[in-house]
Amino acid sequence: MGQKIKVIVVDDSALMRSLLKEVIDTAPDMECVAAAPDPLIAREKIRELNPDVITLDVEMPKMDGLDFLARLMRLKPTPVLMISSLTEKGSEVALRALELGAVDIIAKPKLNIAQGIQDYAEEIREKIRMAAKAKVSALSQPHMAVNYTADAVLPKTVRPLMKSEKLIIVGASTGGTEALKEFLVPMPPDAPGILIAQHMPEMFTKSFANRLDTLCRITVKEAEHGERILPGHAYIAPGHSHLLLGISGANYVCELSQAPPVNRHRPSVDVLFRSAANVAGRNSIGVILTGMGKDGAVGMLEMREAGAHNFAQDEASCVVFGMPKEAIAVGGVNEIVSLKDMAQKVLSWLASNGGRALRI
């Protein structure tokens, strides 16, 4: 037999590290040469041992798995198999991982992890073998090395308010596809215009908007540059562009920008929130939903400073309590609300603060 496939397991769970090591070491053609609880330790092990394949979790201390994957693929391209509870097929985390260069993905079992991993053992081994044969190359995007802020897209310049019309401005990431559905489905046909930045690859945003449109009483569509923002409509940022709130004459309009990614994302929630702070100020209502990272935190604070009233999804109902947590930490949030109550809370606040009485 030839040389064994060298595998490094990266997972913050000691149980998962042990289970995956056992799965790997019981195969005659592969060996777990190291197991690391976080990306910083993994980085040293990778330098030392030069593995053929890395298995990688997403939620970890010190640096999340997607950040680590992006850096790894830029600096030392290595076949990576994502194994995480967040990488179910079709999820935005799975799509982002593949976009960043992961060879394949496996979802962790949700119940009875030990038995579940054993059930998946042969699939894991087969995917490691496949990954070991994969040809991976460095990420080509030069912007990946630069962490731009919203300043790269538009300056922070609050304008005098020209309208009294209310708008709802929403940001979401990991888990956001289902959270947005729960938030939008109850919205009445006369709800204020809604602008949404959801981290999602560009090939999925249009079909996602179309799917929501079939479920909602409001109209949901992918935003187009220059189109007027109407009540009873929600506009989702296309995956290739930042979405900004603009004003043309007496009308609010959607603006799209191909400026560099902000916080690694285009569309960026920070960019959308800053544009709302600039243009709508106290006439905007900010909503930040489940998501990994901190995109949207600074922008939400800017909205609040401009007079907006802001809501964050609570930890218990989040898939990942990252973006809402960061927005709360910087002081950008007025109310922390469960997802199931979010639509009603937003509409109730509107009704009691100069908006029309809207009912779910």
Side-chain angles (χ1 to χ4, degrees), residues 96-265:
R96 180 63 177 155
L98 294 172
E99 190 179 56
L100 288 171
V103 173
D104 210 336
I105 53 176
I106 294 177
K108 283 182 184 176
K110 287 185 168 58
L111 301 172
N112 195 349
I113 292 175
Q115 184 58 50
I117 290 295
Q118 288 304 317
D119 292 343
Y120 281 116
E122 193 50 45
E123 180 184 353
I124 292 169
R125 288 191 283 259
E126 278 303 313
K127 291 198 173 188
I128 288 172
R129 293 181 185 111
M130 178 194 69
K133 297 175 184 177
K135 294 179 180 179
V136 295
S137 57
L139 282 173
S140 59
Q141 300 96 316
H143 63 257
M144 290 296 292
V146 182
N147 187 19
Y148 290 106
T149 69
D151 294 330
V153 184
L154 74 166
K156 182 182 176 183
T157 53
V158 178
R159 309 174 195 173
L161 290 181
M162 301 183 65
K163 297 167 63 61
S164 59
E165 182 182 347
K166 302 293 185 183
L167 294 172
I168 300 170
I169 314 294
V170 185
S173 185
T174 310
T177 52
E178 288 303 305
L180 283 168
K181 181 178 77 171
E182 188 157 346
F183 178 66
L184 293 177
V185 165
M187 285 290 165
D190 57 348
I194 303 171
L195 273 66
I196 299 166
Q198 159 74 51
H199 298 157
M200 183 180 285
E202 63 181 280
M203 66 285 292
F204 296 100
T205 44
K206 189 174 183 63
S207 59
F208 175 56
N210 291 343
R211 172 174 165 263
L212 287 176
D213 186 56
T214 65
L215 301 172
C216 296
R217 289 181 288 166
I218 62 171
T219 298
V220 184
K221 68 185 299 293
E222 189 179 55
E224 298 177 50
H225 184 70
E227 72 178 314
R228 182 182 172 188
I229 296 167
L230 300 171
H233 286 62
Y235 304 86
I236 295 178
H240 54 68
S241 297
H242 296 298
L243 174 60
L244 292 79
L245 173 63
I247 197 157
S248 177
N251 299 316
Y252 287 129
V253 295
C254 294
E255 294 180 354
L256 302 182
S257 168
Q258 288 277 299
V262 170
N263 301 319
R264 298 189 355 258
H265 297 288

Side-chain angles (χ1 to χ4, degrees), residues 298-312:
V298 172
M300 180 157 268
L301 177 60
E302 291 173 358
M303 285 182 67
R304 187 174 186 184
E305 289 172 342
H309 192 84
N310 295 331
F311 296 83

Side-chain angles (χ1 to χ4, degrees), residues 4 20-28 30-33:
K4 289 186 177 183
L20 289 172
K21 178 174 171 54
E22 182 181 352
V23 165
I24 293 162
D25 287 345
T26 52
M30 61 186 68
E31 177 186 6
C32 178
V33 295

